[in-house]
Amino acid sequence: MSSGNRPIIKAIIFGVTGQDGSYLAEFLLAKGYEVHGVRRRASTFNTGRIDHLISDRKIWENKFFLHYADLEDAVAINSLILNIKPNEIYNLGAQSHVGLSFDIPMSTINVGGLGSLRILEAILRNDLSKTTKFYQASTSELFGGLKNQELDENSLMAPRSPYAVGKLMAYWLTKNYRDAYGIFAVNGILFNHESPRRGETFVTRKITRGITGIKAGILDELHLGNLDAMRDWGHAKDYVEAMWLMLQQEQPTDFVIATGQNYTVRRFVEIVCSKLGYEIQWKIEDNAEIGYDTKTGKTLVRTDAGYLRPLEVDFLLGNANRARELLGWIPKIEIDGLIEEMLENDTQLWEREKFFPNINR
Ligand code: NAP
Ligand code: GDD
């Protein structure tokens, strides 16, 4: 198929309904791609992040298509890849909550680890090794974060959760299929990236949603786990561009993608509070740490041991020099811009909730 003289480039996105999948779909569609998003069956609607693409008549079922397949289902994956014969596959599908992976380790590893193998096998067995490029959503969780050090593509990997162990399997499978069969397969080792579309149980979104909810007078307190973990937080929009750049290189190479700056969860709370007009101070009370507003004495944040993980990743800080040099990639949105965008979004959601209670919970 071609559009004028230009051949149409076809991409499959596994995990299109997630945060990154939705931004990547927008990004590829803007570049003229034919985008095939893969969703899994759910008993409730799970397309909230891509509904604007589905309702766009110019692209829906013309440039943007949706297909059902679960990453646990090798048959569905195989027939999808065989039918579409895509130029690029982005594997973003995963049970991506690290804490939850301790409760549901089997399915987390089946999807996050073996899911990648099912895709790589489909590329190989359908004779697409020379024509289909593969992107694997690898993660800074691979490193384990036990030492306060900058991490790059050569740093030691020592995962500390079932989620990260599954991702380490996928990381090595991606490298192995590249070396053994010559598939253009790359790992994007992405540090944390956030946005207004971030799932509400990840800490940044939980904080922006929680504190704006308190500000709106709808929520009472925000309960959090470890306040001292450090993360290198970027914006998902910048990070999906890096995914695409990795597949446009001459040679398949793995890349770390990060901002090079990290903050504690506590600091993230403090920035959010200050942007919303609170002056937060911390104190210990009944074995919990309390963050209260010095102007009113109101408790905003309370630690809750129920949110601590069996193993913690204490310190993540990335060095993305290789991406800067080879991809020309640099993050455009800094933490202040990221937080402001998230706060604006969540403030609006609470405003709507005042008029239509519970629709967004
Ligand atoms: P996300 O919002 O949790 O999205 C995950 C996607 O995977 C969703 O579309 C989800 O579908 C889908 N999925 C889950 N289980 C599946 C299954 N069994 N079969 C098919 N699809 C399934 O995650 P994200 O933040 O966009 O991250 C994208 C990828 O990058 C993930 O693999 C994550 O592990 C990895 N990663 C993320 C970060 C980050 O900071 N965001 C950093 C490094 C790596 P539903 O919508 O139906 O749940
Ligand atoms: N989720 C959550 N909820 N985390 C909390 C809370 C809480 O109430 N309180 C403190 N934290 C701490 C966690 O213990 C962790 O140290 C840190 O906040 C960040 O947690 P998450 O936002 O859940 O993200 P993550 O770093 O564990 O994992 C995310 O980033 C990885 C890349 O480094 C996910 O997107 C993974 O899929 C991704 O691979």
Side-chain angles (χ1 to χ4, degrees), residues 109-158:
I109 291 178
N110 197 339
V111 175
L114 288 175
S116 308
L117 180 59
R118 294 182 183 105
I119 299 173
L120 286 163
E121 274 291 300
I123 294 173
L124 181 67
R125 306 289 160 198
N126 290 310
D127 254 349
L128 298 171
S129 304
K130 298 285 173 276
T131 50
T132 298
K133 296 179 181 179
F134 175 75
Y135 173 88
Q136 167 59 23
S138 285
T139 164
S140 47
E141 283 288 306
L142 297 178
F143 299 116
L146 272 180
K147 288 194 189 145
N148 291 16
Q149 63 176 26
E150 237 184 33
L151 298 154
D152 65 19
E153 296 81 2
N154 297 313
S155 300
L156 179 73
M157 293 179 175

Side-chain angles (χ1 to χ4, degrees), residues 96 139-140 163 192 198 201 203 206 225-226 229 231 309 312:
S96 72
T139 164
S140 47
Y163 164 81
N192 298 50
R198 184 59 141 150
T201 59
V203 80
K206 189 170 164 186
N226 178 9
R231 289 293 180 275
R309 297 171 180 180
E312 179 59 285

Side-chain angles (χ1 to χ4, degrees), residues 14-22 38-42 46-47 49 69-73 91-97 107 110-112 135-141 163 167 188-194 197-199 202 233 236 239 243:
F14 287 90
V16 74
T17 55
Q19 170 189 255
D20 292 5
S22 65
V38 183
R39 61 173 154 174
R40 58 175 170 165
R41 195 269 164 182
N46 60 356
T47 54
R49 294 184 178 103
D70 197 292
L71 276 163
E72 297 197 35
D73 185 338
N91 178 26
L92 313 183
Q95 188 299 96
S96 72
H97 198 284
S107 59
N110 197 339
V111 175
Y135 173 88
Q136 167 59 23
S138 285
T139 164
S140 47
E141 283 288 306
Y163 164 81
K167 286 285 188 177
I189 308 168
L190 272 50
F191 283 61
N192 298 50
H193 44 280
E194 319 293 313
R197 296 185 196 168
R198 184 59 141 150
F202 296 93
W233 282 298
Y239 286 44
M243 295 175 189

